[in-house]
Amino acid sequence: MARILAVDIGGTSVRAAVVDTDGGNIAGSAARSTAHLIDAPPLGRSYDADALWDQACAAMREAVYRAGARGGASAAEPVVAVAATAQRVACAALGDGDVPLYLGPNLDTRGVATGWAVAEAGGADLYARTGRSLAMLYAPSRLLWFRQERPEVFERIRRVLGLGDWLALKLSGEAATEPGTAADLLALDVHTGEYWEQLWSRCGLDPSWLAPLRRAGTRLGEVTAAAAERCGVAAGTPVAVCAPDSLAAMLGAGAARPGTTLVMAGSTMPILAATETPRADPDGRIWTGRHPVGDQGVVESNAGTAGYGWAWMAEQLVGAVSGLEGDSAYAAAERLAATAPPGAHEALLYSGGAGILDVANPATFLAHTSALLWPSTVLQPDLGAGSVVRAALESVAHIARANVEQVEAVCDGAGQRLVVGGGMARSRLLLQMLAALMDRPVHTPRFDATMVGAAACGAVTAGVFADLAAAAAAMGAVDVAAEPEAALVPEYAAAHRRWRAQYARLQSL
């Protein structure tokens, strides 16, 4: 057995974990909160680079300490590799000497006013070649904003990376970008696996800013002496090229090969499945990308901020009324939801930002409005607080099913194995809903899928496994968490028809 240090810059925190290569057990973990600076109100958000590096190092030091403190006889086992991943679409722009000029989270939408120029530069080829649309979200649009609004910063840019790439650079002094990250920089031709440099050139951006493309699991460099003093890992420890967070999660959640659909049910909800080769959606509704394993592709839908809707219900309503916070508020909300029957007396919730992905038509009612609907209490006199709270949790399950269906229609995988990861996978009631709605067993990862997947990249770098497929097979275990209850399947089928019909009405407004 060997140990890998994985670190992940997420939306609200940076997490670190020491992962055993034998089964993916997490020997020690830690997290630190991160904060966004609103540097270009109201839409522009960024990180303070020094503060983010400090928090990452603190999380890594604590995870290494905890792995040793809890390791008993194995406490002397050193970390044999480090792998850094991060939220997708986030990016970093660096100047001479790799001085950070801008680190932007995935929620930075400063490119809303300049995205048209990127879309125009890509033309009809934008979606066909990048597997992406909504150009305003991605690095080129943000960089054009700097050219327009802060030319003194733009003129100093010499390198553009994904956020995980930047962290690996801080650790090793070396820069590279994995193809999955390159796709989320809107820089990759997802079908050839090479940079589409002409798009950046047409936008007036220098393609030489892009780092060399390297496959996940290859050796980037080694922890420098300066980084070792900060992060608690020995100088000279190999640093891996790593896939971005959702793709790393595929490795850690049994989705390293076609045949599994992964629902990452967190604050946001990407839904992903592997394909033998990159495959475009003929209807242009969902995204196409590159899988870390071999020459495989990824198809992805996204339910948006589905988890935020449940969080609001649990924290701001149930928690606020009952005087509970944190996990206690969520537990109380789930208990209350369980008092209502399946279908929640026909109450339906549509939370703002959650929806069925359609990248060709993103501006819908649901993007900026929340709606909670229930029938007349004359018709449903038993409807109460439990029904309303249950409707909030069922809405997450309904939106998951709708997006899963889009993914599986493209990858010809209807009925394939379903894995649910992310923070909401801790909800037993949600897993039962999903099993009944999709009429198949629901699996969950045995350990944190993103951390295990990142560690799999490090394990290949360290020579523990020959390739990522082998590492994922050895480390990415899943278990059956819920079976469909026969009596609930038709009830939830009818509920889903009601949910879809009302969704269509709201979307048309």
Side-chain angles (χ1 to χ4, degrees):
M1 181 185 72
R3 288 186 162 180
I4 311 297
L5 175 61
V7 57
D8 172 30
I9 302 175
T12 59
S13 66
V14 55
R15 304 177 301 136
V18 175
V19 183
D20 295 335
T21 57
D22 183 8
N25 177 63
I26 294 178
S29 63
R32 294 291 187 276
S33 297
T34 57
H36 299 164
L37 306 174
I38 302 178
D39 66 313
L43 300 175
R45 289 167 168 79
S46 64
Y47 291 109
D48 179 294
D50 290 338
L52 188 59
W53 173 238
D54 287 345
Q55 296 293 67
C57 289
M60 287 186 277
R61 285 196 309 272
E62 183 177 344
V64 170
Y65 169 78
R66 289 179 175 272
R70 298 176 180 178
S74 64
E77 293 179 6
V79 167
V80 299
V82 183
T85 187
Q87 58 192 269
R88 295 159 57 199
V89 184
C91 61
L94 312 177
D96 288 331
D98 290 322
V99 171
L101 304 174
Y102 158 75
L103 268 63
N106 54 10
L107 293 179
D108 180 22
T109 51
R110 73 184 67 223
V112 67
T114 48
W116 67 269
V118 180
E120 187 176 81
D125 288 336
L126 183 67
Y127 180 79
R129 296 189 66 171
T130 68
R132 304 287 187 274
S133 59
L134 299 177
M136 66 182 184
L137 300 177
Y138 298 98
S141 296
R142 302 183 192 191
L143 298 174
L144 292 183
W145 181 91
F146 277 100
R147 186 175 69 183
Q148 176 177 297
E149 302 295 331
R150 297 182 186 166
E152 72 284 0
V153 174
F154 181 84
E155 291 169 2
R156 296 169 58 197
I157 296 173
R158 298 295 180 269
R159 197 195 298 273
V160 177
L161 299 165
L163 200 55
D165 302 336
W166 169 79
L167 187 53
L169 171 65
K170 292 288 289 183
L171 289 164
S172 69
E174 302 291 337
T177 294
E178 192 269 343
T181 299
D184 285 316
L185 292 174
L186 205 67
L188 192 78
D189 184 319
V190 297
H191 300 286
T192 67
E194 302 295 334
Y195 280 131
W196 185 20
E197 294 185 354
Q198 293 89 341
L199 175 63
W200 280 50
S201 296
R202 292 172 194 166
C203 293
L205 306 174
D206 189 344
S208 70
W209 294 344
L210 297 166
L213 283 171
R214 301 275 297 279
R215 299 298 297 269
T218 57
R219 182 184 178 117
L220 175 64
E222 58 188 39
V223 176
T224 64
E229 291 182 2
R230 301 289 306 280
C231 70
V233 176
T237 302
V239 176
V241 176
C242 189
D245 59 0
S246 296
L247 301 187
M250 295 185 78
L251 301 175
R257 295 289 191 192
T260 295
T261 301
L262 172 63
V263 177
M264 285 302 293
S267 298
T268 60
M269 188 186 291
I271 292 96
L272 311 102
T275 54
E276 292 292 348
T277 58
R279 180 182 298 186
D281 176 11
D283 295 325
R285 293 177 62 90
I286 66 175
W287 290 312
T288 300
R290 302 286 295 195
H291 196 286
V293 172
D295 293 322
Q296 294 177 167
V298 172
V299 288
E300 176 184 354
S301 194
N302 199 299
T305 57
Y308 279 107
W310 173 243
W312 180 84
M313 180 66 70
E315 295 174 10
Q316 301 301 322
L317 287 187
V318 176
V321 169
S322 58
L324 298 173
E325 296 181 349
D327 291 344
S328 296
Y330 285 89
E334 187 155 346
R335 287 193 301 270
L336 185 56
T339 65
H345 290 109
E346 300 188 14
L348 299 172
L349 175 69
Y350 302 87
S351 58
I356 305 169
L357 183 66
D358 183 355
V359 297
N361 184 30
T364 68
F365 173 87
L366 299 183
H368 52 80
T369 303
S370 295
L372 176 60
L373 309 168
W374 59 81
S376 166
T377 51
V378 173
L379 300 176
Q380 292 285 7
D382 294 330
L383 186 143
S387 300
V388 172
V389 176
R390 188 180 185 103
L393 192 57
E394 286 186 343
S395 72
V396 177
H398 285 303
I399 205 72
R401 172 177 162 172
N403 283 279
V404 164
E405 288 174 348
Q406 290 198 152
V407 163
E408 294 184 348
V410 174
C411 68
D412 301 327
Q416 63 186 20
R417 183 172 69 168
L418 181 68
V419 177
V420 179
M424 290 199 71
R426 293 177 292 179
S427 170
R428 176 69 181 168
L429 185 55
L430 175 64
L431 298 179
Q432 292 170 338
M433 292 172 179
L434 288 168
L437 262 173
M438 301 192 198
D439 195 14
R440 66 181 106 161
V442 172
H443 302 72
T444 54
R446 195 166 295 169
F447 304 107
D448 185 303
T450 300
M451 288 304 192
V452 171
C457 297
V460 175
T461 294
V464 180
F465 299 103
D467 55 40
L468 275 180
M475 299 172 65
V478 299
D479 298 310
V480 175
E483 296 275 5
E485 297 180 39
L488 296 184
V489 171
E491 289 191 50
Y492 270 112
H496 191 66
R497 287 192 293 271
R498 290 194 298 271
W499 186 91
R500 289 296 293 256
Q502 190 63 56
Y503 183 94
R505 295 188 189 101
L506 293 172
Q507 191 179 36
S508 69
L509 295 178

